[in-house]
Amino acid sequence: VTLRILVAGQGAWGRALAGLARSAGCKVETWVRGQVVPPGRFAGMIVAVPAQAVRAVLAIMAGLDCDTIILAAKGIENGSQLLMPDVARLVFPLGRILVLSGPSFADDVAKGLPTAVTLAADSMKDAAAWAQILSQSNFRIYASDDVRGVALGGALKNVLAIASGISDGKGLGESARAALTARGFAELRRLGLAMGARSETLMGLSGLGDLLLTCGGGQSRNYSLGFRLGSGQSLQSALAAARGVVEGALTAHVAHELAHVHQVDMPIVAAVAGIIHKGLVPDQAIAELLDRPVGPEID
Amino acid sequence: VTLRILVAGQGAWGRALAGLARSAGCKVETWVRGQVVPPGRFAGMIVAVPAQAVRAVLAIMAGLDCDTIILAAKGIENGSQLLMPDVARLVFPLGRILVLSGPSFADDVAKGLPTAVTLAADSMKDAAAWAQILSQSNFRIYASDDVRGVALGGALKNVLAIASGISDGKGLGESARAALTARGFAELRRLGLAMGARSETLMGLSGLGDLLLTCGGGQSRNYSLGFRLGSGQSLQSALAAARGVVEGALTAHVAHELAHVHQVDMPIVAAVAGIIHKGLVPDQAIAELLDRPVGPEID
């Protein structure tokens, strides 16, 4: 049976995923905003639009004949503080909601370089079935039933990538960035656990793996935004220079709010939120981070 | 009171640590092999020699009037399979044995760039006291009482850095390296837990933090060795091109043995050990790793 798949969104990631699904033998159609909702039955819809657009796009797609939604957007909805799968459930309450996330630059995937990601569904059976359908020798998909954990890792790492970029933009060195990333992972983990994610998910490809990629990489828009800020550019000009949506800049504030709601200590996320949303100067934020008392290293 | 400190070993790391201790206000003397053991009482000795030389150097130092040993060597002793603090305890059974480890390139430290590391002792009080003595605004030392955990992280990350270098040398891309590093961390964690390390230590600066630095960095000799191997150089010429001791090449085999002893799955470490010690070709090792069955992502 050839499965008919709709890919909503045709940015770099949407195009890469459409290409992957085609190579996997699916019949792939694509959709972008402004087009009509395609008729007929689909086995699944891959949603590769910016996180803050997911609700609107799914609302448009509410009439689509499809009960499997694979979310490839990474972020937390502003205002509602909802994770992507929670947003999707509002629109498709009876649908099977899956989350695809992990360390994967669209360019690497498009070039056929080896990539490994995680696909989560409420039921391991669904996750494993779709992982099987979409996996290829160079694009390995691991199944998980921790939907929240996979969604959270992908969202929070973007905020931390801005911090890594700032550190590099300021020329603080590789040792500083490694320490910052490790401490950032501890923050991601604290909030994730408080919000019901599983520890092993946060340490896996979609948590730690994606964090490493985004915090280290010149291909990341979040890292690049931070790099420009660290180099002394104003927030306005750094945002203007970004190509496409910088998810981390949109997630920083809501992540900071969630840290408060769940009463977890997230000084790096607070610093990024302060820089993006309150006009805090990077030098001041860094000085405050370095000024925290030295004591026992606790997670 | 001005503390008198001996720094044994004057490679890049030994010189950086001597400089730090001087800036911290200690009276620092240095020692290299061939010199006589200095007379008089020392408050502490920092040991910054290659891991495989620690036993011999400590044996020479057995007569030193000093009961605090701060180990800055990262590795596992070949043959005995002992961690550095266990080696040190054989020579100084009544001494206070501390382990200093974390993400810190000697060059970054020498330049005064911000760095954060962990210092572990059996008693938190000793760890905190020495962290206080040696900490500076740009070299932050966190205290821990998980000596095994801190020693293990520093040793295993060198092996995994070789794997990261191979991936980059082969041009497999940033996504592949991030997945490899995350899966490598899972291996480090599995063996660490089996050997009595604490989970939070492995996720901290001396585990994850140091892994990130070494796996990402051109300043790492372990990564560079891997990069040369991945680029197609023979093991012999890649080792010949290395400046100084490549700890990971010496630890790969013993880490692989320990995985077997503790019955934990470490496919990346096995691949590196195979390449270094059994003449396995990187392409073959990579193919085997990519060929592992895709299933649930488990830690």
Side-chain angles (χ1 to χ4, degrees):
Chain A
V1 189
T2 304
L3 298 176
R4 189 173 172 227
I5 307 272
L6 184 66
V7 177
Q10 283 290 285
W13 193 217
R15 292 196 306 273
L17 290 172
L20 274 172
R22 269 190 204 101
S23 314
C26 299
K27 181 174 181 301
V28 176
E29 294 170 42
T30 61
W31 178 90
V32 293
R33 251 175 133 154
Q35 295 182 340
V36 297
V37 176
R41 171 135 195 91
F42 286 88
M45 169 170 59
I46 298 174
V47 180
V49 301
Q52 305 305 326
V54 161
R55 184 188 290 251
V57 165
L58 288 180
I60 295 169
M61 289 296 175
L64 189 77
D65 184 4
C66 175
D67 57 12
T68 295
I69 315 291
I70 300 175
L71 297 162
K74 297 174 181 176
I76 302 174
E77 196 179 56
N78 280 327
S80 73
Q81 301 184 345
L82 290 178
L83 298 178
M84 293 299 110
D86 298 327
V87 171
R89 269 190 205 103
L90 293 177
V91 188
F92 287 85
L94 299 176
R96 268 190 221 98
I97 311 293
L98 291 86
V99 175
L100 180 75
S101 194
S104 46
F105 282 139
D107 275 7
D108 289 352
V109 172
K111 282 182 199 150
L113 294 173
T115 312
V117 300
T118 306
L119 181 64
D122 285 331
S123 106
M124 197 55 144
K125 211 178 120 201
D126 287 340
W130 278 96
Q132 186 75 33
I133 289 166
L134 296 171
S135 269
Q136 282 154 79
S137 60
N138 277 348
F139 188 77
R140 298 163 65 77
I141 307 178
Y142 291 85
S144 162
D145 58 0
D146 184 5
V147 172
R148 287 183 79 72
V150 171
L152 254 170
L156 294 177
K157 57 102 193 180
N158 286 325
V159 182
L160 298 167
I162 295 176
S164 287
I166 291 172
S167 178
D168 282 358
K170 294 262 348 148
L172 298 184
E174 292 176 64
S175 303
R177 193 182 73 192
L180 188 70
T181 308
R183 299 305 302 158
F185 175 66
E187 295 190 15
L188 182 159
R189 191 165 171 275
R190 277 195 290 266
L191 183 59
L193 293 177
M195 291 180 67
R198 287 207 302 264
S199 178
E200 62 265 33
T201 307
L202 300 171
M203 281 190 281
L205 292 167
S206 61
L208 178 61
D210 206 1
L211 177 71
L212 300 193
L213 180 64
T214 317
C215 287
Q219 287 183 50
S220 158
R221 288 194 287 248
N222 298 286
Y223 172 91
S224 300
L225 177 77
F227 194 94
R228 288 196 188 91
L229 292 172
S231 310
Q233 279 191 33
S234 71
L235 177 62
Q236 208 176 4
S237 77
L239 280 171
R243 285 168 302 171
V245 174
V246 183
E247 292 282 7
L250 300 167
T251 309
H253 182 59
V254 61
H256 181 51
E257 286 176 341
L258 285 169
H260 187 73
V261 169
H262 293 278
Q263 302 196 305
V264 295
D265 189 30
M266 299 184 84
I268 299 170
V269 167
V272 174
I275 290 167
I276 305 264
H277 297 288
K278 289 182 199 150
L280 189 69
V281 177
D283 278 348
Q284 194 185 337
I286 291 165
E288 282 175 21
L289 280 176
L290 287 178
D291 226 38
R292 289 164 60 87
V294 166
E297 185 188 10
I298 41 163
D299 183 49
Chain B
V1 190
T2 303
L3 298 175
R4 190 172 173 230
I5 307 272
L6 183 67
V7 177
Q10 283 288 286
W13 193 217
R15 291 196 306 273
L17 290 172
L20 275 173
R22 268 190 206 102
S23 315
C26 299
K27 182 174 181 302
V28 176
E29 294 170 41
T30 61
W31 177 91
V32 293
R33 251 176 133 153
Q35 294 181 340
V36 295
V37 175
R41 171 133 195 93
F42 287 87
M45 168 170 59
I46 298 174
V47 180
V49 302
Q52 306 306 324
V54 162
R55 184 187 289 252
V57 165
L58 289 180
I60 294 169
M61 289 294 173
L64 189 76
D65 184 3
C66 174
D67 57 11
T68 296
I69 314 291
I70 300 175
L71 297 163
K74 299 174 179 176
I76 303 173
E77 196 179 56
N78 280 327
S80 73
Q81 301 183 346
L82 289 178
L83 298 177
M84 293 300 109
D86 297 327
V87 171
R89 270 192 203 99
L90 293 177
V91 188
F92 287 85
L94 298 176
R96 269 190 220 95
I97 311 293
L98 291 87
V99 175
L100 179 75
S101 194
S104 47
F105 282 138
D107 276 7
D108 289 352
V109 172
K111 283 182 199 151
L113 293 173
T115 312
V117 302
T118 305
L119 181 65
D122 285 333
S123 106
M124 196 55 143
K125 210 178 121 202
D126 287 340
W130 278 97
Q132 187 74 33
I133 290 167
L134 297 171
S135 269
Q136 283 156 77
S137 60
N138 278 347
F139 188 76
R140 297 163 66 76
I141 307 179
Y142 292 85
S144 161
D145 58 359
D146 184 6
V147 172
R148 288 183 78 72
V150 171
L152 253 169
L156 293 176
K157 57 102 194 181
N158 286 326
V159 182
L160 297 166
I162 295 176
S164 286
I166 291 173
S167 179
D168 282 358
K170 294 259 352 144
L172 297 184
E174 293 178 62
S175 303
R177 191 182 75 192
L180 188 70
T181 308
R183 300 305 302 157
F185 174 67
E187 295 190 15
L188 181 160
R189 192 165 171 275
R190 277 195 291 267
L191 183 60
L193 293 178
M195 290 181 69
R198 286 208 302 265
S199 179
E200 62 266 33
T201 307
L202 301 170
M203 282 190 281
L205 292 168
S206 61
L208 178 60
D210 206 2
L211 177 72
L212 300 194
L213 180 64
T214 319
C215 287
Q219 287 183 50
S220 157
R221 288 194 287 248
N222 298 286
Y223 172 91
S224 299
L225 176 78
F227 194 94
R228 289 196 186 91
L229 292 171
S231 311
Q233 279 190 34
S234 71
L235 177 62
Q236 209 176 4
S237 77
L239 280 171
R243 286 169 302 171
V245 175
V246 184
E247 293 282 7
L250 301 167
T251 310
H253 181 59
V254 62
H256 181 52
E257 285 175 342
L258 285 170
H260 186 73
V261 169
H262 294 277
Q263 301 198 305
V264 295
D265 191 28
M266 299 185 84
I268 299 170
V269 167
V272 173
I275 291 166
I276 304 264
H277 298 287
K278 288 182 199 151
L280 189 68
V281 177
D283 278 348
Q284 192 184 338
I286 291 165
E288 282 175 20
L289 279 177
L290 287 177
D291 226 38
R292 288 165 60 88
V294 167
E297 184 188 10
I298 40 163
D299 184 49

